[in-house]
Amino acid sequence: MNSALMLRTSLFLAAAAFLFSPKASLAQDPAPPAQAPPAGSTNQQGPAPATPIRLTLQDALDLARKNSTQYQAALTSAGLAREDRTQARDALLPSVAYNNSAIYTQGAGATQARNTGFPVVFIANNAVHEYISQANIHEAIDVASVAAWRRASAAAAVARAQAEIASRGLVVTVVQGFYNVAAAQHKLETAKRGSDEGDRFLKITQELEHGGEVAHSDVIKAELQMQDRRRQLQEAQLTLLNARLDFSVLIFPDFNDNFEAVDDLHAAVPLPTLAEVQQQAARDNPNIRAALAAVQEANHDVLGARAGYLPSLALDYFYGIDALHFAVNTAVGNQKFSNLGSSVVGSLNIPVWNWGATQSRVKQAELRRAQAKRELSFAQRTLLAEMRSLYAEAETALNEQEGLRRSAELAEDSLRLTTLRYTKGEATVLEVVDAQTTYALANAGYQDGAVRYRVALANLQTLTGVLTTP
């Protein structure tokens, strides 16, 4: 009896549990609208990261030219100077205007017309109603306008050369940023290896201490070295992050650090000969072009100032209809007269006296021309000095690259052998620590030397206009 009662009770509890369970409720009630899972759900898979943009140096240069504010400002200045030249040229050409006018005035009364003999009140008018419709071709001819056009042309040449200077300077900035990212990545890999080596060496010293082969001081020294290597790893991570952020701001129109730079830091790049550099710099250096154009601009400025002593000629050609309408209360009655024809009006303006203002402008222009000539001479001397200095810098960096690479290889091999000797009791802990430090410094020097050579080549490009790439 008790067993049957217990069986019925168990069945009742099972049925109640099923009816009030969440699954049963879901089966009986209509399905609610789907809801997004909570943000902290462990089953939620985040959006897959976008594929990183793979950038070569040329890709980075193209992006930087589109998005660099300073470079675009230089291009804008060149465009404004070009439009100034167009406006100065157009000022020398005839201008065409078409005038339509109607003049209405009060007519004279019959008594006033008999007494004065004029049908209008104001004698400046030709008639009571006058209609004018005529075309006007106007041209001014003077030396100042010609000089202004030539000066604007020289100023446009200066702006073009300055835009080229900005473009070449941008190349240096991009090259430096591009290879700083690559060097920081290499340094981070070295720091990771150094950190792993520090952990491994600490484990070795602890095992040797447990075997009674080394003193506890070796373990302390190894642990200090391990902590130092971990700090260097964190600093390398921060350096890489900052290098990527700086480079991203330089080349992208919006914030985007999802990119990877093609690593050709240690690719072989030839150095042109000094004769080639000198030939290219003499032919296509924007600093010299800008200085020469500035001297030409100053020469035309002097001519334009001296033109203030000379007369100017203006010509106007009129063609159209001049209609007069007389409406007076006289015996003559209403009369109309119209004329279709053309006329030419010329005027000659001869300066006589302006209290020395023209002479002052001439002196100003001559002072600016003298300064422009001095700046041209300085630009030529600077080009010669920079050519030798930058070429020597690139040559030195190239010659040091092989030595730096070999030093990094030797330092890595020395660290391996010194650690092996220490495990056999043939080296001290200080020798291992010194080998680790030497390896880190040698590898960092190798990366910095490669960046130095690439930047030196980019600086040579500012003189020659030719960027040497792999």
Side-chain angles (χ1 to χ4, degrees):
M1 185 69 180
N2 292 335
S3 299
L5 179 61
M6 292 178 61
L7 179 61
R8 288 196 299 270
T9 304
S10 299
L11 292 174
F12 176 79
L13 293 175
F18 175 77
L19 291 175
F20 292 99
S21 65
K23 292 183 177 179
S25 301
L26 290 175
Q28 297 174 4
D29 298 336
Q35 295 182 357
S41 175
T42 56
N43 296 328
Q44 178 73 13
Q45 292 288 341
T51 303
I53 302 174
R54 186 171 176 83
L55 294 176
T56 64
L57 178 59
Q58 187 59 50
D59 295 335
L61 289 172
D62 294 339
L63 288 172
R65 290 190 179 99
K66 293 180 181 178
N67 303 312
S68 172
T69 303
Q70 295 180 347
Y71 177 62
Q72 291 298 325
L75 292 182
T76 300
S77 298
L80 294 175
R82 183 172 60 251
E83 297 304 322
D84 288 340
R85 179 190 60 187
T86 301
Q87 295 171 20
R89 180 204 62 192
D90 295 344
L92 298 175
L93 303 176
S95 61
V96 179
Y98 200 86
N99 301 319
N100 287 280
S101 62
I103 304 175
Y104 288 83
T105 188
Q106 179 183 358
T111 304
Q112 185 178 2
R114 284 195 305 270
N115 295 334
T116 61
F118 295 100
V120 294
V121 173
F122 303 104
I123 62 172
N125 295 87
N126 298 316
V128 178
H129 299 163
E130 181 176 2
Y131 306 92
I132 301 175
S133 180
Q134 58 184 199
N136 175 24
I137 301 177
H138 173 80
E139 182 176 11
I141 303 174
D142 57 357
V143 178
S145 298
V146 177
W149 170 60
R150 292 182 177 177
R151 180 183 179 278
S153 299
V158 173
R160 287 197 305 271
Q162 290 175 344
E164 179 65 21
I165 293 173
S167 176
R168 298 185 184 187
L170 180 63
V171 170
V172 177
T173 304
V174 173
V175 167
Q176 189 168 11
F178 185 85
Y179 288 113
N180 277 341
V181 171
Q185 182 64 48
H186 283 287
K187 290 179 181 179
L188 177 60
E189 294 172 358
T190 303
K192 288 180 180 178
R193 296 179 61 181
S195 179
D196 294 340
E197 182 66 26
D199 294 340
R200 189 173 72 88
F201 182 64
L202 176 60
K203 184 178 180 181
I204 291 174
T205 57
Q206 290 173 341
E207 292 175 352
L208 292 177
E209 182 191 19
H210 291 160
E213 300 180 41
V214 299
H216 183 65
S217 60
D218 285 12
V219 178
I220 295 176
K221 186 65 177 176
E223 185 173 355
L224 290 174
Q225 186 70 0
M226 181 267 295
Q227 296 292 342
D228 186 54
R229 295 306 173 198
R230 288 183 178 179
R231 286 193 296 270
Q232 291 180 1
L233 174 59
Q234 294 176 353
E235 292 294 331
Q237 291 172 340
L238 178 61
T239 300
L240 176 60
L241 175 64
N242 290 333
R244 289 178 60 85
L245 293 178
D246 292 342
F247 190 64
S248 173
V249 170
L250 177 64
I251 65 174
F252 290 118
D254 51 2
F255 181 77
N256 180 14
D257 63 345
N258 188 23
F259 69 92
E260 58 180 22
V262 175
D263 186 5
D264 58 353
L265 177 62
H266 298 292
V269 183
L271 177 66
T273 64
L274 180 59
E276 292 175 344
V277 172
Q278 291 174 339
Q279 182 180 7
Q280 293 168 350
R283 182 183 66 247
D284 195 30
N285 183 260
N287 293 292
I288 300 300
R289 289 207 312 268
L292 285 171
V295 172
Q296 295 176 358
E297 181 182 1
N299 287 333
H300 297 310
D301 199 12
V302 171
L303 178 60
R306 290 177 177 172
Y309 294 118
L310 303 177
S312 60
L313 176 63
L315 295 177
D316 286 277
Y317 174 77
F318 297 94
Y319 180 83
I321 298 174
D322 191 357
L324 306 178
H325 181 204
F326 298 95
V328 293
N329 297 321
T330 63
V332 179
N334 294 336
Q335 294 185 4
K336 296 182 179 179
F337 173 77
S338 62
N339 179 37
L340 176 63
S342 61
S343 63
V344 178
V345 178
S347 62
L348 184 64
N349 181 22
I350 302 175
V352 178
W353 179 252
N354 60 1
W355 300 97
T358 301
Q359 183 180 6
S360 177
R361 286 192 289 269
V362 171
K363 288 183 178 180
Q364 283 182 332
E366 290 176 345
L367 289 173
R368 286 192 288 265
R369 181 176 61 181
Q371 179 62 24
K373 290 181 178 180
R374 286 190 289 267
E375 291 177 357
L376 172 60
S377 176
F378 178 75
Q380 292 170 336
R381 299 194 306 271
T382 302
L383 173 62
L384 296 176
E386 286 184 344
M387 192 185 309
R388 296 183 60 180
S389 175
L390 294 178
Y391 190 85
E393 170 75 11
E395 191 174 32
T396 301
L398 177 62
N399 294 335
E400 290 179 356
Q401 271 199 311
E402 181 60 28
L404 291 171
R405 184 191 64 81
R406 181 60 177 165
S407 296
E409 292 177 352
L410 291 175
E412 183 178 9
D413 196 37
S414 174
L415 175 59
R416 181 182 61 82
L417 294 175
T418 304
T419 304
L420 183 61
R421 289 176 56 236
Y422 178 79
T423 58
K424 295 181 179 181
E426 299 176 0
T428 65
V429 66
L430 294 179
E431 290 178 304
V432 177
V433 171
D434 182 68
Q436 291 178 350
T437 303
T438 302
Y439 169 69
L441 293 176
N443 193 275
Y446 179 43
Q447 311 306 329
D448 291 338
V451 175
R452 178 189 178 189
Y453 178 58
R454 294 306 186 106
V455 174
L457 288 177
N459 282 320
L460 272 181
Q461 177 267 346
T462 62
L463 304 181
T464 63
V466 179
L467 177 61
T468 306
T469 56

